[in-house]
Amino acid sequence: MRRNPRDLQRYNASERANHWVVGICFILLALSGLAFFHPAFFPLTQLFGGGPWTRILHPYLGVVMMLFFVVMAGRFWKLNVIEPRDKEWLRNVRKMVDGNDHDMPEQGKYNGGQKVLFWGLVIGMVILFVSGLLMWRAWWTPPVTAVRLASLLHAVGAVWMIGLIIMHVYAAIWTRGTIRAMLYGTVTRAWAKQHHRGWYRQMTGDKS
């Protein structure tokens, strides 16, 4: 894709690679996890070389995802601190859904919805990682009660995360120009001014 020199850089190559590693790991974990969630999904284990290999790979993929997610969260958490303007944005989110986003409060690099999603993912990741460790009996033998509780929390956390990721993907597709940012790292000035006017002003110095 030919880059317009007037476009704004939203993500550098390292940030995009970090995001895609987390995303790919999540897809693989969702597929392998579903394979053990219900017998109807067990054929998904063939994607990983069969049941035994799926059971072996699933927790290791989880560790990889968590490590890269920690790096990503460390990069972006300050940009996702909830501010008063984010609360106002959330109160007026129906306007955006109705296509009247010009009346929405001015936002920085991330809007209120994106920030809520970020912290929701953080909570979900913690639940999945901690419960997954308790269930990983290849390395230790926790009490049966702890394993049962961890299994329940892991399932709840997985449903929580899958729901949030579906929302994330839907929002990215619905807001045209968003996916381009994570593919190529840039967005047009028009896109930035319409959806993240505060960030646009910061990047360009434009006060209009």
Side-chain angles (χ1 to χ4, degrees), residues 20-33 36 44 47-49 53-69 125 128-129 132-133 136 139 154:
W20 287 113
V21 169
V22 173
I24 291 170
C25 284
F26 181 82
I27 292 171
L28 294 175
L29 284 162
L31 292 173
S32 56
F36 294 120
L44 290 172
L47 297 173
F48 303 89
W53 270 111
T54 305
R55 191 173 295 279
I56 291 170
L57 290 172
H58 184 85
Y60 285 104
L61 286 170
V63 171
V64 173
M65 183 176 73
M66 186 63 181
L67 289 175
F68 278 86
F69 184 85
M125 284 294 297
L128 286 178
F129 187 69
L133 284 179
W136 202 357
W139 294 100
H154 205 72

Side-chain angles (χ1 to χ4, degrees), residues 92-185:
N92 291 276
V93 70
R94 182 171 293 181
K95 292 182 179 179
M96 189 194 70
V97 174
D98 293 338
N100 193 22
D101 56 352
H102 294 286
D103 290 337
M104 296 295 288
E106 182 176 294
Q107 295 293 285
K109 187 168 185 176
Y110 300 113
N111 60 44
Q114 290 171 310
K115 292 182 177 182
V116 169
L117 176 69
F118 174 84
W119 293 113
L121 292 174
V122 170
I123 293 171
M125 284 294 297
V126 171
I127 292 173
L128 286 178
F129 187 69
V130 173
S131 60
L133 284 179
L134 288 174
M135 295 164 59
W136 202 357
R137 285 174 286 181
W139 294 100
W140 45 72
T141 308
V144 174
T145 302
V147 174
R148 289 174 177 171
L149 178 59
S151 299
L152 176 60
L153 288 175
H154 205 72
V156 172
V159 172
W160 170 263
M161 288 289 287
I162 290 172
L164 290 179
I165 295 300
I166 290 174
M167 290 173 57
H168 176 53
V169 173
Y170 176 79
I173 295 173
W174 182 59
T175 308
R176 294 181 61 183
T178 300
I179 294 179
R180 165 185 166 167
M182 197 49 71
L183 289 175
Y184 304 106

